[in-house]
């Protein structure tokens, strides 16, 4: 969805480096999410944010941190990247928290940690 | 987490109807059921959502029995472009998981 953008789209880095993935949205949604997807598997929730002041851990938050700089921006950081963090990372947004609220996904960031 | 169970993979041929069933035995009273489609290297996209009985849109139908412990996504007359992974989600996004989905392969 073009309303949700992610930068960079591809990144190759080395073990131990700090990496930041950025997500921006123009949908005006309060909730934002970061997911990780390993090859052939489903998406795993890393962190989610209800609003600028509310950030919550998902299933697999260890090794990751996030920052919600504004309603429209949600960044994911890997403080010290390791090879098993090589994956496809998706940002998503939704208007609210109800299960009726559709999630809108960005195009993804392919991260490779050597 | 609201756990769901789907078949890992399914094969079909162009023009056939495809039904993908999802089990969600611990669905809560207020939970809705949502299906997403994901093409390789793209983010998932919303297909359809329902609470009970039947929902139909221009893309698919969703059948939910009275006990709501399962649901069936029905794709009419599939084409090659319907080859994708299909995920069933139940409940609030902070409590549900995408799981591994069902990989549908449509053959000519």
């Amino acid at each position: 969805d073009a309303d949700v953008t992610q930068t960079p789209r591809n990144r190759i880095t080395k073990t131990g480096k700090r990496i930041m993935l950025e997500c921006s949205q123009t949908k005006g949604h309060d909730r934002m999410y970061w997911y990780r997807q390993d090859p052939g598997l489903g998406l795993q929730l890393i962190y989610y944010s209800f609003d600028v002041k509310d950030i919550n851990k998902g299933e697999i938050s260890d090794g990751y941190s996030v920052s919600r700089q504004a309603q429209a921006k949600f960044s994911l950081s890997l403080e010290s990247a390791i090879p098993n963090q090589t994956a496809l990372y998706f940002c998503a947004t939704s208007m609210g928290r109800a299960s009726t609220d559709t999630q809108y996904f960005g195009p993804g960031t392919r991260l490779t940690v050597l | 987490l609201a756990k769901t169970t789907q078949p890992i993979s399914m094969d079909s041929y162009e023009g056939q109807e495809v039904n993908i069933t999802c089990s969600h035995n611990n669905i809560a009273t207020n939970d809705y059921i949502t299906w997403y489609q994901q093409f390789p290297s793209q983010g998932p996209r919303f297909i359809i959502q329902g609470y009970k009985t039947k929902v139909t849109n221009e893309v698919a139908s969703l059948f939910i029995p009275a006990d709501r412990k399962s649901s069936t996504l029905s794709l009419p007359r599939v084409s090659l472009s319907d080859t994708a992974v299909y995920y069933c989600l139940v409940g609030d996004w902070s409590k549900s998981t995408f799981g591994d989905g069902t990989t549908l392969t449509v053959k000519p």
Side-chain angles (χ1 to χ4, degrees), chain A residues 53-65:
Chain A
K53 298 180 180 179
D54 191 348
I55 293 176
N56 304 275
K57 294 182 178 180
E59 306 168 71
I60 56 162
S61 59
D62 288 347
Y64 301 94
S65 63

Side-chain angles (χ1 to χ4, degrees), chain A residues 31 33 35 37 40-43 45 48 50 59 88 90 94 96-103 105-107 110, chain B residues 1 30-32 34 36 38 41-46 49 87 89-101:
Chain A
R31 296 201 77 184
Y33 314 76
Y35 288 92
Q37 186 171 37
L41 299 179
L43 282 76
L45 184 61
Y48 60 100
F50 290 177
E59 306 168 71
L88 192 54
F90 289 104
S94 69
R97 66 175 298 170
S99 61
T100 51
D101 292 323
T102 301
Q103 285 189 308
F105 285 81
R110 186 172 298 281
Chain B
L1 295 176
N30 296 328
D31 286 343
Y32 277 69
T34 310
Y36 281 79
Q38 185 182 27
S41 298
Q42 294 185 26
R45 294 178 59 181
F46 173 87
Q49 183 179 78
Y87 296 97
L89 274 82
V90 172
D92 182 284
W93 305 127
S94 63
K95 298 181 177 63
S96 64
T97 176
F98 273 82
D100 292 339

Side-chain angles (χ1 to χ4, degrees), chain B:
Chain B
L1 295 176
K3 181 174 175 57
T4 60
T5 303
Q6 304 174 230
I8 294 174
S9 64
M10 296 181 68
D11 290 341
S12 183
Y13 291 92
E14 284 190 291
Q16 290 187 334
E17 177 184 73
V18 172
N19 296 308
I20 306 174
T21 298
C22 178
S23 297
H24 28 79
N25 291 322
N26 61 344
I27 189 169
T29 302
N30 296 328
D31 286 343
Y32 277 69
I33 301 155
T34 310
W35 284 80
Y36 281 79
Q37 175 192 56
Q38 185 182 27
F39 296 113
S41 298
Q42 294 185 26
R45 294 178 59 181
F46 173 87
I47 299 176
I48 197 167
Q49 183 179 78
Y51 183 79
K52 62 180 180 180
T53 63
K54 177 182 176 182
V55 178
T56 297
N57 62 22
E58 66 278 6
V59 177
S61 294
L62 179 59
F63 299 92
I64 305 168
D67 67 6
R68 303 201 327 120
K69 293 185 182 300
S70 67
S71 59
T72 298
L73 173 72
S74 181
L75 304 173
R77 298 179 299 281
V78 295
S79 65
L80 297 176
S81 63
D82 291 316
T83 293
V85 179
Y86 293 82
Y87 296 97
C88 162
L89 274 82
V90 172
D92 182 284
W93 305 127
S94 63
K95 298 181 177 63
S96 64
T97 176
F98 273 82
D100 292 339
T102 298
T103 299
L104 171 65
T105 302
V106 180
K107 303 175 181 179

